[in-house]
Amino acid sequence: MVLAFISVFFNTASAQLVAVTGKYTGTGNNNNAIVGLGFKPDFLLINSDQYHAQITTSTFPADNTKSMNGGSAKTGLIKSLDQDGFTLDDDNDVNKAGKTYNYLALKAEAGVVEMGSYIGNNTDDRNITGTSFQPEMVIIIS
């Protein structure tokens, strides 16, 4: 099983977390571009009060989105992470016409936010290495 992980470290003297939170109203249309973030996100979480949160990262294959409710990755939700935002497909989980969605976008920065993947081996007490710092928070998505 391949697991994607993101390590988030919030308090360093040498760098700051690059993050944007915001909201948008769904259009129900394919290729709905959400712009104005000021950077290309590496981690994106979208949530509403009606649908399960959806997540994608720059380490996922293009057009792959994972529900925080479990299950396999799906296509046709978050189409891409773009230079100044992200682009959505017409799926109700992320883009129902007239529905308000909230998002959290993070940019990977050395020593602050790092992402990668590893292959699970059903062994406990396993060290996952490869980050350049000791993370304060780790999110694991299988």
Side-chain angles (χ1 to χ4, degrees):
M1 174 184 343
V2 176
L3 301 176
F5 70 91
I6 176 171
S7 302
V8 182
F9 183 65
F10 289 98
N11 300 313
T12 88
S14 61
Q16 292 193 0
L17 177 67
V18 178
V20 170
T21 60
K23 63 183 175 179
Y24 62 90
T25 302
T27 65
N29 298 323
N30 192 12
N31 294 316
N32 183 18
I34 308 301
V35 297
L37 274 63
F39 60 91
K40 181 177 183 177
D42 291 295
F43 172 91
L44 178 65
L45 179 126
I46 296 175
N47 192 28
S48 75
D49 62 357
Q50 186 175 358
Y51 301 103
H52 294 291
Q54 303 295 320
I55 187 172
T56 193
T57 76
S58 58
T59 63
F60 284 12
D63 193 26
N64 271 242
T65 304
K66 186 93 166 95
S67 171
M68 293 300 286
N69 192 43
S72 300
K74 293 174 35 179
T75 59
L77 284 92
I78 303 169
K79 293 183 80 166
S80 62
L81 299 173
D82 308 324
Q83 286 305 116
D84 190 35
F86 50 95
T87 300
L88 306 168
D89 211 330
D90 58 1
D91 190 281
N92 284 346
D93 284 344
V94 295
N95 193 21
K96 181 177 181 178
K99 184 73 184 157
T100 300
Y101 296 86
N102 300 295
Y103 64 86
L104 166 65
L106 303 174
K107 179 177 173 70
E109 292 284 337
V112 181
V113 175
E114 294 181 7
M115 292 179 289
S117 61
Y118 63 91
I119 297 174
N121 64 3
N122 293 322
T123 303
D124 65 358
D125 296 328
R126 176 179 173 192
N127 289 327
I128 306 300
T129 61
T131 60
S132 65
F133 58 91
Q134 177 68 40
E136 290 184 13
M137 183 174 110
V138 176
I139 300 172
I140 300 175
I141 305 146
S142 64

